[in-house]
Each structure stands twice: as structure tokens, then as C-alpha cells.
Amino acid sequence: MDRATARRRLALFALFFLPGLGISSWVTRTPDIRDLLGASTAEMGLVLFGLSAGSMIGILGSGALVRRFGTRPIVTVGIAATALSTPIVGLGAAASQSALVAAGLALFGLGMGGGEVAMNIEGADVERVIRRPVLPTMHGFFSLGTVVGAVIGMILTAVAFPASWHLLVIGLISLPVALTAVRHLPHGLGRACAAEHGSAGGRPVWRDPRLLLIGAIVLAMALAEGSANDWLPLLMVDGHGFDPALGSAVYVVFSAAMTVGRFTGDRFLDRFGRFPVLAASALVGGAGILLVVAVDNQIVAGAAVLLWGLGAALGFPVALSAAGDSGDDAAARVSLVATVGYVAFLVGPPGLGFLGDHYGLRNAMIPVLTLLAVAAVAASSLARTRRPDPDPDPDSSPLAAPAER
């Protein structure tokens, strides 16, 4: 690849890494933050509603904003918001102000919901340029960020380092890295599809049955990932009797499994194809969640998290690649499926908190398990149908405005 594309790919690696670092820093400190706030499980679900509200605004507005301004400005604002959000969450926890913590999470959701939809459009365009899969690796850097953040969080939890100072430092480190990386993204990407966004051949893309099945897969796989990111430490602490440090350690195991799955996934995709891999991923992830829910044993629960992480690893990025290749107007297709995924990733887990308050966090994972079974059936169905041939001309992609590339 040319030097500009190489720098662009490296910048996207960094931009995917930083939200992973931020969200795992929050997740590993949730037991401490819950204690600082004096919140119940249901009250923590209300705090997480800030994340849901922010993410919904970001997700629902991202498509129109990308069409109006292109991906680069949206990524810039989004990644800056995620970096600034962690110090706000930390200050809210230190002051025992649930509203301030919710506001910080809302800012994180706003940035992640809007910015990462645009980043996935960027990633799909890089795949088109270099003609090989790269979205799994980009999402692998998100998972690597969660591993790094989780390890740091586990250590700082064990030594009783204040959660507020921890989150403040994460924000101060993330912001300059983010603003440096966005300089390597091209101008104008995503704006060329403004007139035809949301349609292909006169038919709205959301009416494409194949794309709807891909969206169902993304919804299930993103919820499997998001539920672990928001609830796994507390699930291990409250549901299996781990102490907070060991609960964070189990989350590290999950994040490490996600990272391994994403960095090694290309070989399975090359050998078996997208949809067989997605079907197998849903089954493996479902097996892990089933063991966590059904078996009252700490060793089994800790080991099952490996299956959970490996199963969830490839679902989101592989489905996004499949959406981009599913027909005309790739930007609209990637945007639609990414929106479904981020809604599930960011909005679904708070609802699980209300279920957990009534039925326990272990039982609250049963809807996730059910959706993974649906995803396995959908992926198997798509594997039996012929995939449309991708556009052989890389310069004809609707993702970018030719005059500005």
C-alpha cells in the first residue's frame, strides 16, 4: 500500500484502541464506583442510561453528519468526546454524584456512538483500497485497548488506587494521541453518497432481506460484547462470589480472548468464509455464556469467559465487511449495520441491569444467549446463499468523493 494509506491505517488502529482503553478503564472500576456512589444494581442501570442516551444521539445523528461533513470531522469530535468523558466520570465518582457520572458516560456514548460509525466507514474504505480484510484487525486494536485498560484497572484496583485519579490520567493520555491520529484521515470521505444515502437502485437498503439478516447478527454479537464490557466484573463478583480484583482479572481474560480472536481471525475467514465463521462464533460465544449462567463454579465461569470472548470477537467487524459487500451504496449499508451494532453494544447492557436487579445478573444474560442462537441460524442461512460479487473497480466505491481523494 502507499505511504498515505499506511499512515491512515495506523491512525485508525490508534483511534480504535483509545475507546477500548477508556471503556475498560471504566468497567474495571465499576465495583469501586458503585461503592463510591452507594448505588444498587438498578441504580447503576440508571447511571448507565447516560451512556445509552449519549450513544443514541451519536448513533442516530452520525449518518446525517457524515453525509454533511464527511467522516474526518465526526471522528475528531467523537474521539475527543470519549477522551474527555473519563475524567468527568472520575470526578463524579469522587464527589459521589451519580448525575455527573451519568453525564460523563453520556459524553462517552455520544463520542463512541457517532465517532465509531464514521470510523467503520473509514475502515471499510481502507479494505476497498488495499483489497484485503482489515476491519477485524482494527476492532482487534479496540480489544487490545480493553486488555491494556483492564490490566491497568486490575492492578490499580488491587492496590486500592483511587478510581477518580485513574480515570483522569486515562483521559489526559488519550486526548493528545487522538488529535494526532485524526490528522492522517482523508477529507471528504462519505460525502459523495449524500444524494443516494439509504437507497440502492431506488429501494431503501433497510428493505434488503440479506442486509436485515446481517443486522440481526450484528445486534446479537454486539450485545454479547457490550454486556461483558459493562457487566462482567460485577457478574463475577455478585453472581459467582469473586472479589473485585479477581472480577477485574476475569474481564482481562475476556478482553484477551477478544483480542486473540480478532488478530487471528483472518486465517479462518480465508479458509471458511464470513458467514460460516459468524455462525461458529455465535455458537462458541453462546456456549460460554451458557456455562457462566448455568454452572455455579468459579473455575468453570472463569474458563467459560474465554469461549464468550472468542465467540464475540469477530461478529461485529466481519458483519460490517459483509454489509459493505452486500450490494450498492456501501456507505449506507455499513452505516446502517454499524448503527444497529452500536445500539446493541451501548444501549442493551443498561436494560440488562434492570433484569439483573430482579432476577440476578447471571439470569439477565439469558436474553443474550437467545439472541446468539438466532444469530447462528441467520448466519447459517446466509452461508447457503450466494454472496453478490464485490465491485471490481476500487475507484467506483460510493464511499468517497472522487474530487477530494
Side-chain angles (χ1 to χ4, degrees):
M1 71 185 75
D2 62 84
R3 186 174 300 177
T5 302
R7 287 197 297 263
R8 179 186 178 193
R9 185 179 69 161
L10 183 62
L12 285 168
F13 289 161
L15 291 169
F16 272 91
F17 177 89
L18 292 175
L21 179 68
I23 198 167
S24 63
S25 298
W26 145 256
V27 168
T28 54
R29 304 313 298 264
T30 49
D32 291 332
I33 292 172
R34 178 188 62 178
D35 293 342
L36 287 170
L37 297 177
S40 67
T41 301
E43 288 167 343
M44 284 295 288
L46 288 174
V47 169
L48 282 168
F49 184 74
L51 186 64
S52 303
S55 65
M56 283 299 296
I57 294 170
I59 288 166
L60 297 178
S62 62
L65 291 172
V66 167
R67 299 197 305 274
R68 177 73 172 82
F69 300 105
T71 55
R72 178 170 166 167
I74 308 309
V75 172
T76 301
V77 173
I79 199 68
T82 59
L84 292 171
S85 66
T86 50
I88 295 174
V89 171
L91 290 172
S96 298
Q97 293 294 321
S98 298
L100 188 56
V101 172
L105 291 174
L107 185 61
F108 186 93
L110 180 68
M112 188 170 178
E116 291 214 2
V117 169
M119 283 161 53
N120 279 290
I121 294 174
E122 284 274 352
D125 191 57
V126 172
E127 285 192 333
R128 177 191 63 83
V129 171
I130 67 176
R131 293 177 173 270
R132 64 176 183 268
V134 71
L135 273 169
T137 304
M138 289 181 180
H139 284 261
F141 273 90
F142 175 87
S143 296
L144 181 62
T146 65
V147 171
V148 173
V151 169
I152 294 171
M154 178 183 66
I155 294 171
L156 296 183
T157 299
V159 301
F161 187 83
S164 55
W165 284 102
H166 171 198
L167 296 177
L168 176 62
V169 171
I170 292 297
L172 293 176
I173 292 171
S174 298
L175 187 60
V177 175
L179 296 180
T180 300
V182 294
R183 296 171 54 196
H184 298 289
L185 303 184
H187 292 281
L189 183 70
R191 279 164 42 182
C193 59
E196 67 274 19
H197 178 81
S199 65
R203 184 180 68 171
V205 296
W206 55 265
R207 295 181 63 183
D208 182 345
R210 185 180 182 87
L211 190 64
L212 292 178
L213 285 176
I214 295 172
I217 295 168
V218 164
L219 187 151
M221 302 300 279
L223 182 59
E225 180 181 352
S227 60
N229 281 333
D230 277 343
W231 291 111
L232 190 54
L234 283 176
L235 175 60
M236 291 296 121
V237 171
D238 293 350
H240 284 285
F242 286 77
D243 65 45
L246 282 177
S248 296
V250 173
Y251 178 70
V252 173
V253 171
F254 172 84
S255 299
M258 289 278 295
T259 304
V260 170
R262 284 174 169 170
F263 280 120
T264 61
D266 287 353
R267 67 187 66 180
F268 296 101
L269 293 170
D270 290 339
R271 181 171 181 181
F272 300 107
R274 287 172 178 152
F275 295 115
V277 167
L278 286 172
S281 295
L283 292 173
V284 170
I289 295 175
L290 179 61
L291 290 171
V292 169
V293 170
V295 180
D296 192 15
N297 182 283
Q298 290 185 341
I299 295 175
V300 172
V305 166
L306 281 170
L307 297 177
W308 189 346
L310 288 171
L314 293 176
F316 199 4
V318 174
L320 288 178
S321 295
D325 277 350
S326 64
D328 295 332
D329 198 356
R333 292 172 178 274
V334 172
S335 179
L336 175 64
V337 173
T339 297
V340 171
Y342 282 116
V343 166
F345 184 84
L346 295 171
V347 178
L352 297 178
F354 290 98
L355 290 176
D357 197 52
H358 288 87
Y359 304 106
L361 281 175
R362 285 166 62 179
N363 290 328
M365 297 298 119
I366 293 176
V368 184
L369 179 61
T370 303
L371 287 173
L372 285 175
V374 173
V377 172
S380 298
S381 174
L382 288 167
R384 292 191 294 268
T385 62
R386 184 177 180 273
R387 182 179 65 85
D389 293 330
D391 189 345
D393 180 7
D395 294 327
S396 67
S397 168
L399 289 172
E404 300 188 47
R405 292 297 303 280

